Amino acid sequence: MSKDDTRMWGGRFNQPTDEFVQAFTASVGFDRRLAHADIEGSRAHAMMLKHIGVLNSDELTAIKYGLQQIRDEIDAGKFAWSVALEDVHMNIEARLTELAGDAGKKLHTGRSRNDQVATDIRLYLREQIGICMHAIRSFQNGLLDLAEREAQTIMPGFTHLQVAQPVSFGHHMMAWFEMLDRDHGRLTDCAARMNQMPLGSAALAGTSFELDREYSAELLGFDMPSRNSIDAVSDRDFAIEFCAAASICMMHLSRMAEELVLWSSAQFDFIQLPDRYCTGSSIMPQKKNPDVPELVRGKVGRVTGHLMSLLMLMKAQPLAYNKDNQEDKEPLFDTLDTLIDSLRAFADMVPALSVNRDSTYQAAQQGYATATDLADYLARKDVAFRDAHEAVGKAVAFAIEQDKDLSACTLEELQKFDPRIEQDVFEVLTLEGSLNARNITGGTAPEQVLFEVNAGRERLKD
Ligand code: ARG
């Protein structure tokens, strides 16, 4: 090949790469996102090479200055990215060689793009997982405030989307809090499992240079160097694991989104979303659309899709590295962006919603939400629960026929269904009574909700 061949691997080729192939195989259009991680990894690799005597101090200094300048150029948008240089790694290395001369060319000693990219993605993902976890925590904090504010607010709890039993609005918010807490835990686990350093695995077999892998692992904040070079360059299970955790979190957000959409409709009228989070209609002047929750509900589809893409990408790939792996980045990056944006939007929007307390109260009054309380009342008077259930079922049928609530029935009317019913039943039939009765760990009594809010604040301190 001619002397002006820019390809770093051009040595054994006697034809230029087809232009289409060059564009088709290049990843620099998207993997430039890894630039900071790539520079960090190169810096640590260079320091380790100096440490073992492969580079001298001048060479290391030239590399460090060069890498810093490249970082500045990238941050300033002045870096000349070249598709001909294929990916982020070779773009940076080529520029480093311009800036640092032969020292730049030595940087790749004992390294391959295979262990380089596997390291870069881990460094990048580790940082981004930190951002996701922070966003989850800030959403959880907002939910604690909302739950505290609305601990006494009564709303209908649903099963099958039918009114089931009255619950505290705050209790419902604390359900979301718990869902998010497990999401946070999954990310913690995922970040811990992936924190091993592939550098030193080189192409797939390790390297003949006596690299001090513990040294570079420590510099890069990895717990340890990877134990198997073939595995380290070939698996992307950590990215899949992250996307699985992200999909579960997005699934949770979609459930919240669905409830926000329903609750802000005129039919429910439970809440009002902040105006700044809604949009209007170009034709219907009365409309206030919950676009943000709707979009989040929709976006769970693409995140789960990315999880499927990655699973299919890795399925049946022979060990070790294959070019297929380059396809790991776009799904991963989009998953990160989508999850972080969705979490940030909810963290800001949800705590700012206002609850129409009269409306949730009225809704809880409809649908015989305290029927279970009446059955429990009878069971406490030694009626077998199944018999109590039967008697209350009949009472509800009667009340439906009369078009009134159980609490609006007279004592005589209720006694027809079981003579053991007494005057004190009316306390049991109130929404407040029903709520306060569930004063058990994890129950909906406002006292329990406030207890869990405080416990939640403590939990978030760790
Ligand atoms: N751009 C490549 C990727 O993302 C880097 C590794 C390339 N390795 C190779 N042997 N072609 O996977």
Side-chain angles (χ1 to χ4, degrees):
M1 277 305 301
S2 64
K3 282 201 298 321
D4 57 357
D5 187 358
T6 55
R7 300 175 301 177
M8 295 196 161
W9 35 259
R12 62 102 74 207
F13 289 80
N14 51 30
Q15 249 192 346
T17 314
D18 184 281
E19 229 176 277
F20 165 76
V21 173
Q22 190 174 72
F24 190 69
T25 54
S27 53
V28 65
F30 49 86
D31 68 10
R32 63 178 74 172
R33 264 206 206 210
L34 298 175
H36 282 185
D38 195 68
I39 289 169
E40 196 189 341
S42 286
R43 191 181 148 90
H45 185 65
M47 287 168 74
M48 185 275 297
L49 289 177
K50 155 77 179 43
H51 180 69
I52 62 168
V54 170
L55 295 176
N56 64 36
S57 318
D58 290 347
E59 288 167 332
L60 176 61
T61 307
I63 288 174
K64 279 185 175 172
Y65 273 111
L67 288 173
Q68 184 55 47
Q69 178 165 339
I70 292 169
R71 207 189 139 110
D72 294 344
E73 287 174 2
I74 291 171
D75 290 349
K78 290 187 179 137
F79 190 85
W81 296 102
S82 149
V83 174
L85 286 165
E86 203 176 312
D87 58 23
V88 62
H89 321 290
M90 291 198 289
N91 268 269
I92 289 177
E93 195 184 325
R95 178 73 181 130
L96 181 68
T97 300
E98 277 172 21
L99 294 168
D102 280 351
K105 287 192 196 161
K106 285 192 180 179
L107 176 63
H108 214 51
T109 311
R111 188 175 75 168
S112 152
R113 273 186 297 153
N114 296 352
D115 60 345
Q116 192 177 353
V117 70
T119 303
D120 290 1
I121 305 172
R122 281 173 168 84
L123 286 173
Y124 178 77
L125 185 54
R126 194 176 69 186
E127 179 205 70
Q128 296 288 310
I129 287 179
I131 296 174
C132 297
M133 289 171 64
H134 189 265
I136 290 180
R137 285 298 190 229
S138 97
F139 186 14
Q140 283 183 291
N141 267 312
L143 285 173
L144 287 173
D145 294 342
L146 181 57
E148 184 169 50
R149 217 161 66 220
E150 305 297 340
Q152 320 283 343
T153 305
I154 296 179
M155 67 178 268
F158 299 90
T159 61
H160 313 269
L161 203 57
Q162 310 281 323
V163 171
Q165 292 172 347
V167 295
S168 141
F169 191 94
H171 193 52
H172 199 108
M173 293 302 102
M174 289 304 287
W176 293 3
F177 175 93
E178 292 299 335
M179 289 145 75
L180 290 164
D181 210 58
R182 290 189 298 278
D183 291 328
H184 190 272
R186 271 182 280 275
L187 292 180
T188 309
D189 295 347
C190 167
R193 206 176 346 269
M194 66 183 249
N195 204 27
Q196 297 187 359
M197 185 193 71
L199 269 186
S201 304
L204 80 164
T207 167
S208 57
F209 293 94
E210 278 191 44
L211 306 185
D212 188 341
R213 300 187 65 211
E214 275 73 20
Y215 184 80
S216 29
E218 197 179 326
L219 287 176
L220 291 170
F222 283 107
D223 295 331
M224 58 189 268
S226 55
R227 288 181 179 275
N228 183 292
S229 57
I230 297 176
D231 172 50
V233 294
S234 66
D235 212 344
R236 295 292 182 268
D237 60 347
F238 63 92
I240 296 176
E241 192 175 343
F242 167 73
C243 288
S247 298
I248 295 175
C249 184
M250 286 299 295
M251 174 277 290
H252 281 154
L253 296 186
S254 81
R255 299 189 71 179
M256 300 170 196
E258 172 72 359
E259 296 190 320
L260 294 171
V261 171
L262 286 172
W263 294 351
S264 59
S265 70
Q267 287 67 30
F268 274 80
D269 192 33
F270 283 6
I271 58 164
Q272 254 147 338
L273 294 172
D275 274 4
R276 65 196 166 87
Y277 265 92
C278 298
T279 59
S281 155
S282 54
I283 177 169
M284 298 167 283
Q286 84 285 9
K287 295 273 285 197
K288 178 178 160 185
N289 296 329
D291 288 36
V292 173
E294 288 174 281
L295 267 178
V296 169
R297 187 176 60 187
K299 280 176 191 292
V300 66
R302 75 198 247 179
V303 170
T304 310
H306 294 325
L307 170 63
M308 294 306 133
S309 302
L310 289 183
L311 283 166
M312 289 308 102
L313 172 67
M314 298 313 293
K315 174 185 174 292
Q317 265 196 54
L319 303 184
Y321 176 86
N322 300 287
K323 185 74 167 180
D324 313 40
N325 287 10
Q326 183 165 288
E327 287 285 307
D328 61 356
K329 291 171 197 63
E330 288 160 296
L332 178 63
F333 294 161
D334 190 66
T335 298
L336 281 163
D337 292 346
T338 307
L339 181 64
I340 292 170
D341 284 353
S342 304
L343 283 167
R344 282 181 175 163
F346 272 27
D348 188 33
M349 176 185 68
V350 174
L353 62 77
S354 62
V355 181
N356 305 334
R357 294 175 183 158
D358 291 342
S359 189
T360 57
Y361 193 87
Q362 273 168 28
Q365 279 176 322
Q366 288 151 21
Y368 306 94
T370 55
T372 315
D373 295 276
L374 181 53
D376 288 352
Y377 170 88
L378 286 172
R380 247 180 248 112
K381 301 211 167 199
D382 227 24
V383 181
F385 185 78
R386 279 291 154 233
D387 295 335
H389 187 286
E390 170 79 16
V392 176
K394 288 189 174 135
V396 168
F398 167 79
I400 291 174
E401 211 178 83
Q402 302 275 310
D403 195 22
K404 59 185 179 190
D405 187 51
L406 284 176
S407 60
C409 296
T410 63
L411 183 58
E412 292 70 42
E413 283 171 337
L414 291 174
Q415 280 172 337
K416 272 192 237 140
F417 301 99
D418 195 297
R420 281 158 288 195
I421 296 177
E422 290 169 274
Q423 188 59 36
D424 61 354
V425 75
F426 291 104
E427 230 164 277
V428 164
L429 291 177
T430 64
L431 297 177
E432 289 78 2
S434 170
L435 227 64
N436 288 324
R438 286 167 174 74
N439 200 356
I440 175 181
T441 303
T444 195
E447 196 182 319
Q448 286 297 328
V449 175
L450 292 174
F451 176 83
E452 287 301 333
V453 166
N454 287 328
R457 292 217 168 92
E458 284 306 311
R459 281 157 67 189
L460 293 199
K461 278 184 189 157
D462 311 331

